[in-house]
């Protein structure tokens, strides 16, 4: 009924497990979505940190980071991910203030002059059977012993203890990719929550790698089944309030078959390329 995807990323795995119906709209039908302010703020801060880490270690000062953020803001000025938000002057001021606050928090979390990065926004992929697993690592670095460390910046809230393991699943996925691509398992994976200033660190193990491979393969089988049967169930939950496809969701009385035409007509011009 639908073409089966040939690749999966950690965010797609999470998207399918959170709501198969939303996954169908976004990842199978690839319908456009309007940009969201949290997403845009996150991308912009990631870009600022990427620009910042292109500077030599000794030059990584607070002033340099705020300059990197200004450069990222200029880049985003004409980007549909930003223009599509249609923010007014006061909202733009608030948006920029929040971006500066997040990178200010970052500077209290680690000493950037001590970071030995070897990759920024690193695109990795590896084959598992017929499936290609893909991921983008925010920062890959070496620790003082020359071991690999994966760092992922987060601009949303830190998870409660209950959800901590779930949020680490994505970085375990990156660790798995590193092992496949570089032949070395990272010593640590870190999630840096720039809003709260917390860092969650995990140590990848044989068990975590096995868990990721088994879970990803199970999700892929479920995606494959859903594509063949057309049965993508809605899973109402906290994500519904921000879901761009609610109007076409059967859980809210909508008709998913109308989404392709109607969402494309409504969102095409607003969505990022
Ligand atoms: S509205 Fe909720 S249940 Fe429906 S597709 Fe969106 S996230 Fe899923």
């Amino acid at each position: 009924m639908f073409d089966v995807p040939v690749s999966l990323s950690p965010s797609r795995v999470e998207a399918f497990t959170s709501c198969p119906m939303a996954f169908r709209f976004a990842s199978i039908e690839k319908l456009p979505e309007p940009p969201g302010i949290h997403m845009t703020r996150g991308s912009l801060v990631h870009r600022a940190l990427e620009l910042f880490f292109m500077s030599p270690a000794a030059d990584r000062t607070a002033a340099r980071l705020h300059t990197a953020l200004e450069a990222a803001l200029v880049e985003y000025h004409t980007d549909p991910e930003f223009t599509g938000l249609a923010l007014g002057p006061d909202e733009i001021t608030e948006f920029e203030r929040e971006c500066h606050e997040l990178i200010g928090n970052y500077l209290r979390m680690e000493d950037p002059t001590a970071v030995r990065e070897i990759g920024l926004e690193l695109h990795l992929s590896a084959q598992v059977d017929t499936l290609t697993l893909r991921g983008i690592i925010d920062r890959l670095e070496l620790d003082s012993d020359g071991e690999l460390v994966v760092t992922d910046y987060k601009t949303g809230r830190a998870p409660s203890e209950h959800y901590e393991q779930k949020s680490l699943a994505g970085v375990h996925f990156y660790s798995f990719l590193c092992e496949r691509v570089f032949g070395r398992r990272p010593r640590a994976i870190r999630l840096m929550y720039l809003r709260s200033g917390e860092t969650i660190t995990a140590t990848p193990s044989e068990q975590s790698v096995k868990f990721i491979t088994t879970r990803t393969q199970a999700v892929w089988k479920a995606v494959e089944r859903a594509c063949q049967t057309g049965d993508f169930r809605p899973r109402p939950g906290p994500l519904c309030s921000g879901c761009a496809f609610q109007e076409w969701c059967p859980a809210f009385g909508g008709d998913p078959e109308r989404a392709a035409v109607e969402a494309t007509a409504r969102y095409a011009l607003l969505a990022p390329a």
Side-chain angles (χ1 to χ4, degrees):
M1 209 164 178
F2 293 103
D3 290 340
V4 180
V6 289
S7 70
L8 270 185
S9 65
S11 55
R12 281 178 163 216
V13 169
E14 288 320 312
F16 183 80
T17 52
S18 299
C19 177
M21 178 53 78
F23 176 89
R24 168 188 148 172
F25 290 137
S27 299
I28 302 291
E29 294 191 78
K30 300 192 185 338
L31 303 184
E33 291 178 64
I37 194 160
H38 301 296
M39 213 53 149
T40 305
R41 194 190 298 116
S43 314
L44 210 148
V45 167
H46 275 73
R47 176 65 179 148
L49 285 163
E50 183 189 4
L51 292 172
F52 178 58
F53 275 99
M54 287 175 186
S55 315
D59 295 346
R60 293 176 192 157
T61 58
R64 179 61 71 104
L65 181 51
H66 287 278
T67 304
L69 177 59
E70 291 299 336
L73 283 165
V74 169
E75 282 180 12
Y76 269 69
H77 240 231
T78 50
D79 192 309
E81 202 180 338
F82 180 77
T83 54
L85 295 173
L87 300 178
D90 290 349
E91 291 165 316
I92 291 177
T93 306
E94 178 57 13
F95 177 87
E96 295 185 358
R97 188 197 63 74
E98 284 172 347
C99 291
H100 278 282
E101 186 177 298
L102 287 169
I103 59 165
N105 290 348
Y106 162 76
L107 287 168
R108 284 188 282 279
M109 297 173 72
E110 68 177 2
D111 173 7
T113 64
V115 173
R116 296 164 64 198
E117 77 290 341
I118 54 171
L120 301 172
E121 300 296 321
L122 203 58
H123 291 244
L124 298 181
S125 64
Q127 205 66 27
V128 175
D129 301 330
T130 54
L131 178 67
T132 307
L133 300 182
R134 295 183 194 286
I136 304 173
I137 292 180
D138 290 345
R139 197 175 84 198
L140 184 66
E141 66 216 61
L142 298 175
D143 68 10
S144 50
D145 297 324
E147 296 292 336
L148 295 174
V149 175
V150 173
T151 295
D152 198 39
Y153 309 119
K154 298 283 182 194
T155 51
R157 291 188 195 292
S160 63
E161 226 169 275
H162 184 64
Y163 288 105
E164 201 170 285
Q165 282 313 312
K166 190 174 175 218
S167 59
L168 278 170
V171 262
H172 278 301
F173 193 109
Y174 299 138
S175 150
F176 162 79
L177 286 177
C178 278
E179 198 169 336
R180 278 296 180 90
V181 174
F182 303 117
R184 280 166 69 185
R185 182 178 306 154
R187 174 178 277 177
I189 45 184
R190 304 161 70 225
L191 294 179
M192 298 184 76
Y193 284 91
L194 306 183
R195 187 167 293 275
S196 61
E198 287 168 71
T199 300
I200 298 174
T201 305
T203 310
S205 62
E206 195 70 51
Q207 204 186 4
S208 66
V209 170
K210 192 158 177 246
F211 170 75
I212 285 302
T213 339
T214 313
R215 183 167 181 267
T216 307
Q217 280 172 322
V219 170
W220 186 65
K221 289 272 170 250
V223 169
E224 202 176 33
R225 238 182 348 262
C227 287
Q228 282 155 1
T229 60
D231 185 7
F232 287 88
R233 307 248 162 120
R235 189 166 297 152
L239 293 180
C240 296
S241 58
C243 177
F245 305 113
Q246 199 183 93
E247 188 179 331
W248 301 284
C249 172
F252 288 81
D255 177 0
E257 305 317 319
R258 299 170 66 122
V261 172
E262 295 179 4
T264 304
R266 184 171 313 165
Y267 298 143
L269 292 175
L270 292 174

